Amino acid sequence: MEILSLPSKPTPRTLTVASSNHITPNMIRVTLKADFIANFRAGIEGAHCKLFLPEPGQSNEAFKSQLENGPRPSVRTYTIRHVRPDWREIDIDFVDHGDSGPASAWARRATVGSICGFAGPGPVKLSKFYADYYVIAVDMSAIPVAAATLEAMPRDAEGTAVFEITSEEDKQSIDAPEGIEQHWVIHENPHVHSTQAVTKIRSLLPFAGQVQTCIAGESSVVRALREEIVNTRGISKSDAYISGYWKIGLVEDEHQELKRQQSAP
């Protein structure tokens, strides 16, 4: 009997660091470049991608060999904040957690010429805008997707955006429509469950007309917001992008496995 082998996944492409700097005290922006970015279409800001991360002290040559031959390096999911196809560059924003996680640690030590692996990009979360009212609620891990969404909206869009940040200095300038009311709330310890975003969204008047949402961040907050938006206020799931990006006490691999278990039939 003929045994059919499954096709192997393609080797992740590599990106090279062009620059890295703190744009706020707790957010690092890494600009990455590669020739293949010239083929990215404009407007993919907000799409997710996978980054494959070298170990501390690992040479570029050793990391490229590991990408091709295994074992698989640490992988984390991130959002493309900006894309400049003509310059062959993308920006990825990392929350600075210190050296406690592989992605934050890599971003903190990244210098010009450092490399990482790349797979993607995936689809843009909100690619069509048709609502009468928009609800945005994110913590720092999801500011990139929220900012990209707000900047892509029609200039006459109306709604509410709640950003949960670690300090007042972490507030960012976002080119949002004037009709989006922005609220920046401080939650100093992201490892303690927060309530500010949920309280703010619950305080909003009943929605009129069609509503679209972009809600993402820590899973317990996202779960409470999903209950408010979908179950209590009756917003259609097809109009609501609501996603838990991380969970207090779990690393990404553990969180992704938990999400798979919860979504299994």
Side-chain angles (χ1 to χ4, degrees), residues 98-172:
D99 293 331
S100 60
S104 175
W106 178 81
R108 285 164 59 89
R109 68 176 184 267
T111 57
V112 175
S114 299
I115 66 171
C116 66
F118 176 88
V124 174
K125 304 311 178 187
L126 269 73
S127 58
K128 297 180 180 179
F129 299 98
Y130 48 80
D132 301 297
Y133 194 85
Y134 295 89
V135 178
I136 312 295
V138 296
D139 62 17
M140 288 195 63
S141 72
I143 286 179
V145 70
T149 298
L150 287 164
E151 290 172 354
M153 281 182 185
R155 295 296 88 183
D156 62 351
E158 297 183 354
T160 297
V162 182
F163 302 91
E164 184 182 280
I165 52 179
T166 308
S167 71
E168 183 69 30
E169 292 74 25
D170 286 310
K171 184 176 180 180
Q172 298 184 26

Side-chain angles (χ1 to χ4, degrees), residues 75-94:
V75 183
R76 293 295 184 266
T77 305
Y78 275 87
T79 296
I80 295 176
R81 179 64 184 92
H82 299 111
V83 59
R84 295 177 290 278
D86 290 346
W87 292 8
R88 296 168 169 80
E89 290 182 345
I90 59 173
D91 294 334
I92 305 289
D93 291 353
F94 298 76

